[in-house]
């Protein structure tokens, strides 16, 4: 990673938090304490969660699609223990170099997600395809404007409308027809 940028506070799926920057000896990959004895700190944080006390967001480093805890290991462990799916986090993303095809596509994906605020579930495998999706969103925006159903909205709202009304139904159709099985090296988003 040669560049980094702050992504602000976002809700992160706990399953994507895979490691710790400084406490990797204390927690396993599922963020359970490696030692089999209870931790007083763990119990205090658990009590705060159960009493609905708002704790500060954890601090994460993002490298591609994985997250590493810089601050908040016990909060992540407790959230996992209590069955939470997401946790709020202050995220710093480390961007990979542009030297491989995979990294170029990742950087395009990251820019697409930042611009549209859509979930990062749109997984494309070719360079330039995220730019094509932005063109589709622009066309959808123009269609809504011409049809008179468009008020004054933010770009991210238009992107969400495209995602819910165009993209997701098409992906569902591709998966239901099992079309993606005929193209094993392509994602449903590619198709």
């Amino acid at each position: 990673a040669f560049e980094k940028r702050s992504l602000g506070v976002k809700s992160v799926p706990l399953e994507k938090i895979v490691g710790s920057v400084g406490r990797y000896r204390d927690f396993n990959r599922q963020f359970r304490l490696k030692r089999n004895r209870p931790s007083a700190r763990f119990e205090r944080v658990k009590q705060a969660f159960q009493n609905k006390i708002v704790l500060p967001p954890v601090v994460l480093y993002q490298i591609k699609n994985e997250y590493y805890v810089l601050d908040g290991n016990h909060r992540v462990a407790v959230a996992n223990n209590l069955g939470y799916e997401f946790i709020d986090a202050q995220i710093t993303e480390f961007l990979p170099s542009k030297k491989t095809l995979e990294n170029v596509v990742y950087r395009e994906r990251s820019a697409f997600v930042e611009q549209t605020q859509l979930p990062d579930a749109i997984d494309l495998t070719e360079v330039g395809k995220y730019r094509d999706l932005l063109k589709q969103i622009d066309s959808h925006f123009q269609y809504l404007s011409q049809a008179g159903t468009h008020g004054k909205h933010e770009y991210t709202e238009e992107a969400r409308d495209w995602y819910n009304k165009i993209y997701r139904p098409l992906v569902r159709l591709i998966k239901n027809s099992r079309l993606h099985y005929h193209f094993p090296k392509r994602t449903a988003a590619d198709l």
Side-chain angles (χ1 to χ4, degrees):
F2 293 96
E3 298 174 50
K4 67 179 183 176
R5 64 182 178 173
S6 174
L7 299 180
V9 176
K10 296 186 175 193
S11 187
V12 174
L14 283 164
E15 67 185 22
K16 289 189 174 190
I17 301 174
V18 298
S20 175
V21 175
R23 304 287 303 269
Y24 57 89
R25 287 189 177 100
D26 297 335
F27 297 92
N28 67 16
R29 197 166 167 91
Q30 291 76 36
F31 272 86
R32 292 189 187 99
L33 288 167
K34 285 184 178 178
R35 293 170 277 156
N36 288 331
R37 60 177 196 241
S39 157
R41 187 168 182 189
F42 178 89
E43 292 303 322
R44 283 193 309 272
V45 172
K46 186 174 181 180
Q47 190 68 38
F49 268 67
Q50 290 171 330
N51 291 334
K52 308 266 189 250
I53 296 172
V54 178
L55 299 175
V58 298
V59 179
L60 302 178
Y61 285 161
Q62 178 183 353
I63 301 173
K64 292 197 174 178
N65 296 318
E66 296 180 328
Y67 297 88
Y68 299 84
V69 180
L70 181 63
D71 180 49
N73 291 282
H74 285 87
R75 284 172 274 165
V76 171
V78 168
N80 271 321
N81 179 269
L82 295 175
Y84 284 60
E85 291 184 43
F86 296 89
I87 194 164
D88 287 340
Q90 175 72 43
I91 302 168
T92 299
E93 179 182 30
F94 288 87
L95 296 167
S97 71
K98 298 178 184 176
K99 294 186 179 189
T100 68
L101 176 66
E102 177 187 346
N103 288 349
V104 171
V105 171
Y106 174 80
R107 289 172 75 98
E108 287 181 1
R109 177 185 190 176
S110 182
F112 174 82
V113 169
E114 184 176 7
Q115 183 175 349
T116 62
Q117 297 298 307
L118 291 173
D120 65 358
I122 300 176
D123 188 23
L124 298 171
T125 61
E126 290 184 42
V127 173
K129 294 302 180 183
Y130 285 102
R131 187 173 40 248
D132 291 345
L133 290 185
L134 289 173
K135 289 177 186 175
Q136 287 183 28
I137 292 169
D138 290 341
S139 294
H140 182 67
F141 176 80
Q142 289 173 358
Y143 169 78
L144 291 176
S145 294
Q146 291 170 352
T149 59
H150 168 71
K152 205 168 191 178
H153 295 275
E154 295 284 324
Y155 184 80
T156 55
E157 291 178 51
E158 302 301 338
R160 198 174 319 112
D161 190 74
W162 168 85
Y163 179 77
N164 289 324
K165 293 181 179 171
I166 306 293
Y167 177 78
R168 287 182 62 203
L170 284 173
V171 167
R172 202 172 12 245
L173 181 67
I174 288 166
K175 287 182 176 180
N176 288 343
S177 67
R178 304 171 68 81
L179 181 63
H180 60 296
Y181 290 118
H182 298 286
F183 301 92
K185 294 184 180 182
R186 297 291 181 199
T187 65
D190 286 330
L191 299 175

